[in-house]
Amino acid sequence: MTAAVVVAVGAAGVAAAGLDFGAGGDEPKAAATVPPTTGKITRGTMVDTQTETGELGYGDATTLAGRLSGTLTALPSVGTTLSRGDVLGRVDNAPIILLYGTLPAYRALTTGLRGVDVEQFERNLYALGYRGFTVDNKYTASTAKVVKAWQRDLGLPRTGVVDLGRVVYVVSPIRVAEQKAQLGDAVQPGAALFTYTGTSRIALVTLEGADKRLARVGTAVRVTLPDGKQVDGKIVSVQAAAAEAEEKAAKTVVAISIGSQKTVAKVADDASVDVRFTVSERKNVLSVPVLALLAVSEGGYGVQVVADGTSKVVAVRTGMFADGRVEIAGAGLAAGMQVGMPS
């Protein structure tokens, strides 16, 4: 039988094999010589990745509007972090207080009222260290008495009534992004005071068209910072990007939480980062260096297995290509075997 003609396949030559197993014969073919350089068949997990450029930020900003009328006398500076009990600003030199909750304040709170808004306020008052009342949906005389103590500490008139606009609810600590008003402005209910974001740094990546397939909420990614440090990340949201008139292909904005906030604390806002997404993964498979692939004259691919001073070409079916290696399957192949490489 005439020996098959084999040709070494370089990285540019294997693309046609694709990600699915391609054709490959079953019979080993004799090779003329033992190659001077070899690589090894290994078994393990192969991961195909794709890296995209993004930037660090804090996510979309939300506008905070006041509900009081008067002269704006204080406003937090950009970059300030505010949490429960902190002052969001001052109108006529009286503070507006940040509390946690999902229900917006919609009425003044006074003795005799009931409702989920009462309970939300009382939970915040209790969390701030004020005691002497029962946290429930009833605004009682005991609640009013404790509110007077809270008002005293804030420098407010001790009325026992929480005026509409005195507190603003958000779900978690915030960071001031942009001031929307200036000191001395005459403000009315509904006037924008500033915009805010969350306090945690995130990475934002805009994906083109079909690359949306990379973006699945909950998927782990790897983020490389400008100084080369790497941190773990997780996709937390996937949204359609605002389209420009001239754009023909849809884009997707991916928000990625950063596992180590300490690592990114001193990195500049809007700094460029590289985000490595996992395209696909194959576990417990055999692989060889891509350069070990041979194109067999009959079609398909093979590898030159070297053992005991001799070699033979074994036909293989190819699978995933990743990080300079290719997944293979073929008769008699096993981890640890040596395969010929181009010298």
Side-chain angles (χ1 to χ4, degrees), residues 180-242:
K180 291 294 187 179
Q182 296 181 349
L183 299 186
D185 284 354
V187 294
Q188 298 294 326
L193 301 181
F194 57 81
T195 63
Y196 66 89
T197 65
T199 58
S200 297
R201 303 291 289 280
I202 64 174
L204 295 171
V205 178
T206 300
L207 298 177
E208 304 281 346
D211 285 338
K212 181 181 178 180
R213 65 193 172 89
L214 302 174
R216 299 184 300 275
V217 173
T219 300
V221 299
R222 192 71 172 164
V223 181
T224 302
L225 305 176
D227 61 3
K229 292 181 180 178
Q230 294 189 339
V231 292
D232 292 327
K234 181 187 294 185
I235 298 176
V236 292
S237 72
V238 179
Q239 297 179 342

Side-chain angles (χ1 to χ4, degrees), residues 1-42:
M1 178 185 294
T2 303
V5 177
V6 294
V7 179
V9 179
V14 296
L19 293 178
D20 295 325
F21 279 135
D26 295 326
E27 295 297 326
K29 310 297 182 181
T33 59
V34 174
T37 305
T38 62
K40 184 181 290 187
I41 299 177
T42 61

Side-chain angles (χ1 to χ4, degrees), residues 114-128:
R114 294 174 178 239
V116 292
D117 57 336
V118 172
E119 182 176 355
Q120 179 174 264
F121 172 76
E122 289 185 344
R123 288 189 183 280
N124 279 273
L125 202 59
Y126 192 89
L128 290 171

